[in-house]
Amino acid sequence: AQSVTQLDSQVPVFEEAPVELRCNYSSSVSVYLFWYVQYPNQGLQLLLKYLSGSTLVKGINGFEAEFNKSQTSFHLRKPSVHISDTAEYFCAVSDLQGAQKLVFGQGTRLTINP
Amino acid sequence: DVKVTQSSRYLVKRTGEKVFLECVQDMDHENMFWYRQDPGLGLRLIYFSYDVKMKEKGDIPEGYSVSREKKERFSLILESASTNQTSMYLCASSLGGRVGYTFGSGTRLTVV
C-alpha cells in the first residue's frame, strides 16, 4: 500500500516569489507520481506527472517537480508565482499494476499575497 | 478533451434519505472512481470500477454503494444519508495509470 504526506497544509507567499510545495511518499513498489491543482469551486486538474526517465518534470503554468527516489520525495516548485496560482495542490501516487488507484496527500493550500 | 460530468453541483438532503450521485464520462474509459474530499484529509477513495458491472471497495466504502450498468456512467449511492456524509464528492475516470485521472467538478452534498 502507498501513502503520501504533504508536509505543509498552508503556504503563504508574496507574488513573484519562488515557492516549493513538499511531498513525500511511502511505497514498497515502484510508483507513478502526480501533482494536481484545484482552483476554488472546481475539480482537480493534472499539473504534471512522473512516470519514468528524467527526474525533473515540467508541467503546466510554469510548475516543475523533481523526483528523488532515495528521499522518496516529489517536491513541486515554481520560480515566480502569480496571484492566479492561488489554489489547493495535491500530490498523489499510484502503483504500476491493476486499476492503478490514486492515493492522495492531504493537500497544500497556496495563498499568494500581492 | 475528456469530459467528466457530475449531475449536481450542490445537493441538500435530509438524514435517512437515499441519495444518488451521478457521473458520466464521454471518452470510453474503463476505470472510474468516486472520492470524497474533506478539509485536512485530502481525497479518500470510496469505490472504483474497472469495467461495466465490476466494482471494488476503496478505503472508506461504509455507508456507500455504487452502480455501473453502462461504461460511461458510474453512480454513487448513499443508502441512508447521515450528517457525517456531508462532503465534497469527486468523480474521476481514467484510461490507465500512466495517463492520470480526469475529474468532474464535484458535488457538494449537505446532509441536514
Side-chain angles (χ1 to χ4, degrees):
Chain A
Q2 294 87 34
S3 67
V4 177
T5 302
Q6 291 183 241
L7 297 158
D8 306 292
S9 59
Q10 297 187 62
V11 173
V13 297
F14 287 106
E15 195 171 16
E16 298 183 7
V19 69
E20 178 180 82
L21 305 184
R22 297 179 294 167
C23 172
N24 286 98
Y25 70 94
S26 173
S27 176
S28 57
V29 298
S30 296
V31 294
Y32 298 137
L33 294 152
F34 303 83
W35 275 98
Y36 283 83
V37 59
Q38 185 180 35
Y39 298 107
N41 298 314
Q42 295 186 25
L44 276 69
Q45 177 183 352
L46 181 64
L47 207 51
L48 49 77
K49 59 186 176 184
Y50 172 78
L51 304 179
S52 64
S54 172
T55 57
L56 183 64
V57 292
K58 295 187 183 297
I60 61 172
N61 301 339
F63 284 92
E64 62 182 32
E66 185 155 22
F67 170 57
N68 187 317
K69 188 173 183 178
S70 63
Q71 297 187 9
T72 59
S73 68
F74 190 52
H75 300 333
L76 181 70
R77 301 185 183 102
K78 187 170 182 178
S80 176
V81 296
H82 300 112
I83 291 285
S84 59
D85 293 323
T86 295
E88 190 152 21
Y89 293 78
F90 292 93
C91 182
V93 300
S94 76
D95 57 30
L96 277 60
Q97 306 298 328
Q100 298 166 333
K101 301 171 289 181
L102 276 178
V103 175
F104 287 86
Q106 300 90 333
T108 297
R109 186 167 297 279
L110 177 63
T111 304
I112 312 300
N113 298 306
Chain B
D1 280 351
V2 177
K3 195 169 182 181
V4 178
T5 303
Q6 294 184 232
S7 55
S8 302
R9 190 75 179 90
Y10 298 95
L11 273 180
V12 179
K13 297 292 182 180
R14 295 194 180 278
T15 302
E17 275 193 77
K18 190 170 187 176
V19 181
F20 293 85
L21 303 184
E22 306 289 345
C23 175
V24 177
Q25 52 98 359
D26 65 0
M27 278 297 291
D28 205 35
H29 284 178
E30 285 85 9
N31 304 323
M32 295 189 75
F33 307 83
W34 275 106
Y35 287 85
R36 65 176 282 176
Q37 180 182 5
D38 300 289
L41 297 178
L43 278 74
R44 293 177 291 166
L45 182 63
I46 305 171
Y47 267 97
F48 66 100
S49 167
Y50 52 88
D51 203 350
V52 176
K53 296 190 186 295
M54 305 299 289
K55 59 187 179 184
E56 287 198 27
K57 294 179 180 179
D59 300 318
I60 51 164
E62 295 78 19
Y64 304 94
S65 62
V66 290
S67 171
R68 194 169 182 196
E69 296 295 320
K70 294 184 178 181
K71 194 173 187 178
E72 66 270 19
R73 186 180 296 270
F74 192 36
S75 303
L76 180 69
I77 304 157
L78 286 66
E79 298 291 343
S80 177
S82 64
T83 54
N84 63 13
Q85 292 179 309
T86 291
S87 186
M88 170 69 89
Y89 290 88
L90 291 163
C91 176
S93 73
S94 169
L95 194 56
R98 295 177 61 87
V99 180
Y101 292 8
T102 299
F103 281 86
S105 299
T107 296
R108 186 168 295 281
L109 173 67
T110 302
V111 183
V112 298

